[in-house]
Amino acid sequence: MERTEHAGADAIVVGAGISGLVTARELLRHGKSVVVLEARGRIGGRTIRARSDAGGLVEGGAQFVKGGHTAALRLLEEAGIELFASPSGGEDVYVEGGAGRREIGPFSGDPARARSYEALRREFLDVAFSYGAGEVVRLADANELDGTTLSAWAGARADDDGVRGRFLTDTTFGMGSTGGDVSLLAALHYANSAGSPDLGHDRFIREGFSSLVDHLRSQISGATILLDAPVESVARVGELLSVRAGRRHVTAPAVVLAMSPTLLRRIRLDEVDGGIDWPPARYWRQEPSVKAALDYDRPFWSEAGLSGNIAGAGEIAYVINTSTPDRPQLTVLWNLGAHGRGREEIRRTILDHVSEHLGPAAAEPSGIAITDWSLDPYAGGCGSPLPPGVLTSGDPFAATLAPGLLRAGTESSPMGWGSVEGAIRSGIRAAEELAR
């Protein structure tokens, strides 16, 4: 039997990830009553506490903070959440052609390749940051930039496959890509919207952004949060918008869809003002990733003069040293995409990789926690490795889909696109729009 609930709310927020929680918090601050609907049985979206096989809890989702992420930094400071710098010292390992080599910077042992890599990277960043922050997609030549791939752009400038491959991995890994088939426009926008050119692995939150989720939850005690409520449709009924989630039926004058475009495709909007056709949602692409945290009793890699960091153009692109003074730890970032691998195969592949390049002690962590985002039906994926033509198919940052029906989510933000920064900014923007 269908139940009508919370008919008197001022706004409904669909999605309890960071963007949805920020939206709810800001609406409450504007004196609005809010109902939050979340498909999962938990809040947090693409942040989650994962339990290691030794029983410890680690962050299975967002954890790193870039220097240009000013909104995230402000909120972390407000919450009293400490940032740690990735440990320095020792040589990195870079894997090329299956073999690892020590280095202190990209191609540090080969000056000619180092210069070629730096020239390619610098030209790309010069183009990306020649535009105003978040403005790349709105340019007159956006269609031209969106008509080619980053791989084609790099191929016209670098003959060395290894140099080109490393540049592509470093530039597009955060977008969820394992190659360069992404749109040149999308890659330029991703770099520009970060606010700074760093890769984003230099600073991290020990407990991850789940600690920020805890803070936001404490700030929205005045909101009603309904879990296990996957939304199926939004329809206009008179002056209200009606949201259906299974047997639940919630109405309000305004609805904020705080989710990725791939999840937006699942919600029927055909009864809102004759139907809503937002082209980017039709073509948007997201890919799931695997993240693993490996805890050790001691930072054994430093004994061999290594930093603990591994990078490469192979299957596992990055291993990052996320140790704190009392916890030696390595974090594995793996854009695996949709796959059919079992947990044990993933675990074995990770341990084989780190032990091959850091030594046999790496194969025996005191604890390991693996988060496979392909198993979460409500994640929609992690990064957005968009092919040519998607960003210019319609306004990718459209905040309003119809009167009273708004978007939030990191993919809707011109700044901090694809990161927690974008999630925060989009939530603030949606709330401000409704508060006018």
Side-chain angles (χ1 to χ4, degrees):
M1 181 178 178
E2 186 178 274
R3 299 176 301 186
T4 300
E5 305 177 80
H6 309 286
D10 293 318
I12 300 166
V13 177
V14 181
I18 288 178
S19 65
L21 296 176
V22 170
T23 303
R25 182 179 94 146
E26 297 303 308
L27 285 172
L28 289 169
R29 290 183 168 185
H30 286 293
K32 305 293 184 182
S33 56
V34 183
V35 175
V36 180
L37 297 174
E38 168 57 44
R40 304 174 181 88
R42 63 171 183 85
I43 64 172
R46 284 175 272 184
T47 67
I48 187 173
R49 284 192 172 93
R51 187 172 296 278
S52 77
D53 52 14
L57 291 173
V58 297
E59 176 59 67
Q63 185 172 13
F64 297 96
V65 183
K66 291 189 176 184
H69 288 178
T70 55
L73 290 169
R74 282 194 299 269
L75 199 49
L76 291 170
E77 182 179 10
E78 171 195 310
I81 297 171
E82 185 178 3
L83 276 175
F84 288 86
S86 297
S88 59
E91 295 178 308
D92 298 338
V93 174
Y94 185 74
V95 182
E96 184 178 14
R101 64 171 181 269
R102 292 183 176 216
E103 58 179 29
I104 57 174
F107 303 105
S108 58
D110 189 328
R113 298 183 86 196
R115 287 193 297 271
S116 178
Y117 173 87
E118 183 56 30
L120 190 60
R121 179 176 177 274
R122 176 49 50 196
E123 182 178 355
F124 174 81
L125 292 176
D126 284 348
V127 174
F129 286 94
S130 66
Y131 307 115
E135 290 297 314
V136 175
V137 177
R138 302 188 189 280
L139 297 173
D141 59 347
N143 285 323
E144 179 181 349
L145 294 173
D146 202 25
T148 188
T149 65
L150 178 65
S151 179
W153 181 90
R157 290 159 174 81
D159 296 329
D160 187 317
D161 289 343
V163 168
R164 187 169 61 250
R166 183 166 193 168
F167 165 77
L168 294 174
T169 298
D170 288 347
T171 304
T172 66
F173 181 85
M175 301 173 67
S177 175
T178 56
D181 59 341
V182 302
S183 155
L184 175 58
L185 178 67
L188 289 167
H189 172 64
Y190 180 75
N192 170 280
S193 74
S196 68
D198 61 90
L199 284 174
H201 298 153
D202 294 334
R203 290 189 294 175
F204 64 94
I205 308 167
R206 172 173 169 150
E207 308 301 333
F209 274 103
S210 288
S211 55
L212 181 61
V213 169
D214 293 339
H215 174 71
L216 292 171
R217 180 65 182 90
S218 73
Q219 300 278 300
I220 60 169
S221 58
T224 298
I225 300 178
L226 302 178
L227 301 178
D228 297 310
V231 169
E232 301 158 1
S233 66
V234 180
R236 192 175 298 282
V237 180
E239 297 183 355
L240 299 176
L241 288 170
S242 171
V243 178
R244 295 179 185 274
R247 292 184 298 167
R248 286 173 164 151
H249 177 205
V250 188
T251 59
V255 173
V256 179
L257 300 173
M259 62 186 65
S260 71
T262 56
L263 294 179
L264 186 61
R265 285 199 292 260
R266 303 181 188 179
I267 299 177
R268 296 196 312 275
L269 303 174
D270 51 310
E271 295 181 33
V272 179
D273 304 338
I276 294 174
D277 181 24
W278 181 60
R282 278 186 271 146
Y283 310 119
W284 205 273
R285 174 189 170 197
Q286 284 178 268
E287 293 292 341
S289 300
V290 168
K291 183 182 180 186
L294 285 66
D295 291 326
Y296 294 94
D297 295 327
R298 73 183 204 283
F300 61 87
W301 49 85
S302 63
E303 300 164 7
L306 295 171
S307 66
N309 299 320
I310 308 171
E315 189 172 43
I316 297 177
Y318 295 108
V319 177
I320 309 297
N321 185 348
T322 50
S323 299
T324 53
D326 62 338
R327 185 185 70 179
Q329 184 186 78
L330 302 176
T331 293
V332 177
L333 306 176
W334 185 1
N335 282 348
L336 187 52
H339 64 88
R341 304 191 192 193
R343 180 180 179 83
E344 183 54 36
E345 182 182 355
I346 291 173
R347 182 179 187 277
R348 178 45 51 197
T349 301
I350 289 171
L351 293 180
D352 287 347
H353 181 72
V354 294
S355 62
E356 179 180 358
H357 300 296
L358 297 180
E364 299 180 0
S366 58
I368 178 170
I370 298 172
T371 304
D372 181 357
W373 285 99
S374 72
L375 302 179
D376 184 342
Y378 300 112
C382 296
S384 297
L386 301 183
V390 177
L391 282 180
T392 51
S393 66
D395 183 0
F397 313 124
T400 302
L401 297 175
L405 182 62
L406 280 70
R407 291 178 60 225
T410 182
E411 292 84 9
S412 72
S413 176
M415 287 297 296
W417 189 59
S419 69
V420 171
E421 175 76 6
I424 294 168
R425 287 175 177 265
S426 72
I428 294 172
R429 180 181 70 168
E432 289 178 345
E433 182 71 22
L434 289 181
R436 290 177 185 172

